[in-house]
Amino acid sequence: MVGTGEEARNGILIKQAASLEILGRANVIVVDKTGTLTEGKPRLQSVIANSKFKFQNLEKQSPDGKNQLAENEILRIAASLEKGSEHPLAAAIVRAASEWKIELASVEDFQSFTGEGITGTIGGRRIALGNEKLFAARNFLTAETQKPGEDKTKSSIVETFDFNSQISTLDKLRSQGQTVMALSIDGEVAGFLTVADTIKESAKAAIDELRGQKIAVVMMTGDNEKTARFVAEKLGIEKVFADVSPVQKAEKVKQLQAQNKIVAMAGDGVNDAPALAAAVGIAFATGTDVAIESADITLLQPDLRVILRARKLSAATMRNIRQNLFFAFAYNLLGVPIAAGALYPIFGVLLSPMIASAAMTFSSVSVIANALRLRNLKL
Ligand code: ADP
Ligand code: MG
């Protein structure tokens, strides 16, 4: 009680005392990228129009394909759709549209696919916006754009749409840490939007210190491998699982547990919820409700360094509990045999019931007094 209360005073809310104990013993910590290692306040970086795509309702299309109108149209459609999403990427796109002073359209049949993207209908046209998984798994491609016999799970948007001229551009943006989303209109890619998020300043310090304590740090993200690598390298994280779906996130946690690792998982999104439930889950109060609900521990500050404080307090609490077991048993261990007459034959000593009752009280008082010492711990 004192331990969890002290954690709470430090902005660490613990649902079950047991998770405090396990967190102290954890030797692997899995962290989500977007919103956990990064600020979760991404900004739109670029809008790239597909020069081969014929936009409707555009007054004129310039021949060089670098058409401001086309880019406006892409952002308009993307932002209209993203209005319905609670993903941090969605906020970036909606914000950019309002900065560009673009009026948004109304959307029908909105659907969100966690870790993949979103779809809907705008003005009778089917729109999809998201990563390659969205397009590979959900078959938004029209018959002629999808090559026959193609392995759908492997098909990349870029290949499927013969976007040769853009591959290098997109890959370059990814290796700079940008997240690339494709926008399709009626089954054809109209363009791409790229978004970048800044890495949290506190993240590097937290990860260095965790590693110093011999805790393995693993990054897990639904984002592209190249984007993930960029962030991982900046932070010195060696192990990266990229392109993982929410279910795969949970499976990876279970795989680590099967190797007898004690796993803590920090994440903030809807997509992290299954993994948070599988491990000792740590969510931020700024995260989504589902993440907080699935996690065992909620941090009021979105700062990974707080985990280190929580672990320190966890270790101190466990030490304190062991000391208290001593205080709880020591009086009995001595008192009960004396009261039973163990010393009587030789020394003629018995335990007066008054002393026995005082000893019992001292036992409780010492346990409580010792536990309260936790409150003086400097974190
Ligand atoms: P992370 O694991 O890093 O928190 P997510 O699993 O939430 O990332 O998202 C993985 C990818 O899915 C994103 O990088 C993006 O390409 C795509 N995605 C998810 N939600 C959306 C959305 N609302 N709009 C567009 N793309 C999305
Ligand atoms: Mg996230």
Side-chain angles (χ1 to χ4, degrees):
M1 259 168 66
V2 178
T4 49
E6 207 44 30
E7 298 270 11
R9 287 215 305 171
N10 282 280
I12 304 155
L13 308 183
I14 297 188
K15 255 185 231 161
Q16 279 180 349
S19 40
L20 177 62
E21 179 178 353
I22 304 170
L23 178 67
R25 287 190 287 132
N27 46 22
V28 176
I29 173 153
V30 179
V31 281
D32 158 55
K33 179 177 75 73
T34 321
T36 305
L37 292 172
T38 65
E39 294 283 357
K41 291 192 195 78
R43 287 192 67 84
L44 183 72
Q45 300 295 315
S46 55
V47 179
I48 303 165
N50 178 2
S51 48
K52 296 205 189 91
F53 186 83
K54 291 273 167 288
F55 287 91
Q56 293 175 4
N57 315 326
L58 290 189
E59 286 131 41
K60 57 176 197 291
Q61 222 165 357
S62 61
D64 63 356
K66 285 223 161 200
N67 190 329
Q68 195 60 37
L69 286 170
E71 281 147 22
N72 257 306
E73 180 67 359
I74 288 171
L75 185 55
R76 186 180 74 90
I77 294 172
S80 304
L81 202 58
E82 289 284 19
K83 241 184 343 191
S85 166
E86 63 168 341
H87 201 277
L89 292 172
I93 291 173
V94 173
R95 192 172 337 115
S98 89
E99 280 167 15
W100 288 26
K101 304 219 166 24
I102 293 175
E103 228 172 274
L104 302 186
S106 65
V107 177
E108 284 149 54
D109 311 324
F110 176 84
Q111 248 188 306
S112 169
F113 300 94
T114 305
E116 296 180 7
I118 49 178
T119 64
T121 308
I122 296 178
R125 293 181 296 170
R126 293 282 306 140
I127 315 291
L129 175 65
N131 58 14
E132 312 196 344
K133 255 183 271 143
L134 179 76
F135 293 88
R138 312 219 175 258
N139 207 13
F140 290 120
L141 319 178
T142 52
E144 65 263 34
T145 48
Q146 192 168 356
K147 295 175 205 123
E150 187 173 55
D151 179 359
K152 270 196 240 155
T153 54
K154 273 198 190 148
S155 84
S156 97
I157 298 167
V158 177
E159 278 161 18
T160 317
F161 290 93
D162 192 24
F163 232 81
N164 283 327
S165 61
Q166 302 287 14
I167 295 176
S168 55
T169 318
L170 295 180
D171 272 356
K172 202 172 118 212
L173 294 174
R174 279 180 175 140
S175 54
Q176 289 167 1
Q178 299 193 17
T179 299
V180 176
M181 285 164 280
L183 177 78
S184 82
I185 301 178
D186 281 335
E188 281 180 64
V189 165
F192 296 92
L193 295 106
T194 76
V195 157
D197 201 355
T198 43
I199 297 172
K200 276 184 196 166
E201 255 174 50
S202 56
K204 176 107 176 94
I207 282 161
D208 284 347
E209 205 168 322
L210 283 169
R211 251 205 319 255
Q213 295 184 8
K214 302 251 178 311
I215 300 164
V217 181
V218 179
M219 178 170 141
M220 201 146 66
T221 176
D223 208 343
N224 179 273
E225 173 95 34
K226 284 206 174 66
T227 315
R229 285 268 166 222
F230 173 86
V231 176
E233 252 158 54
K234 286 247 149 148
L235 293 168
I237 299 176
E238 277 143 37
K239 212 163 170 64
V240 178
F241 296 121
D243 280 319
V244 284
S245 69
V247 174
Q248 285 169 331
K249 281 192 177 189
E251 277 165 8
K252 296 270 185 223
V253 166
K254 286 183 194 138
Q255 276 168 21
L256 287 166
Q257 286 167 332
Q259 296 163 16
N260 285 326
K261 300 271 198 291
I262 302 169
V263 187
M265 155 92 198
D268 69 326
V270 177
N271 58 325
D272 301 316
L276 288 170
V280 185
I282 304 167
F284 298 128
T286 49
T288 55
D289 292 344
V290 201
I292 295 169
E293 194 55 45
S294 316
D296 306 288
I297 299 171
T298 304
L299 308 182
L300 295 186
Q301 290 163 276
D303 183 338
L304 288 173
R305 282 174 303 188
V306 178
I307 296 176
L308 292 155
R309 274 194 263 153
R311 280 174 55 85
K312 200 168 157 190
L313 195 50
S314 162
T317 306
M318 292 316 293
R319 215 178 312 124
N320 199 282
I321 287 174
R322 271 177 234 114
Q323 291 162 354
N324 286 344
L325 286 172
F326 170 81
F327 286 126
F329 287 121
Y331 290 96
N332 296 307
L333 230 52
L334 281 172
V336 172
I338 296 173
L343 299 181
Y344 191 70
I346 307 162
F347 302 104
V349 182
L350 270 177
L351 197 66
S352 143
M354 276 208 301
I355 295 177
S357 120
M360 261 357 304
T361 312
F362 271 121
S363 165
S364 304
V365 169
S366 11
V367 165
I368 291 166
N370 187 48
L372 288 174
R373 274 191 325 119
L374 278 173
R375 304 190 56 164
N376 302 325
L377 190 77
K378 287 272 171 297
L379 286 182

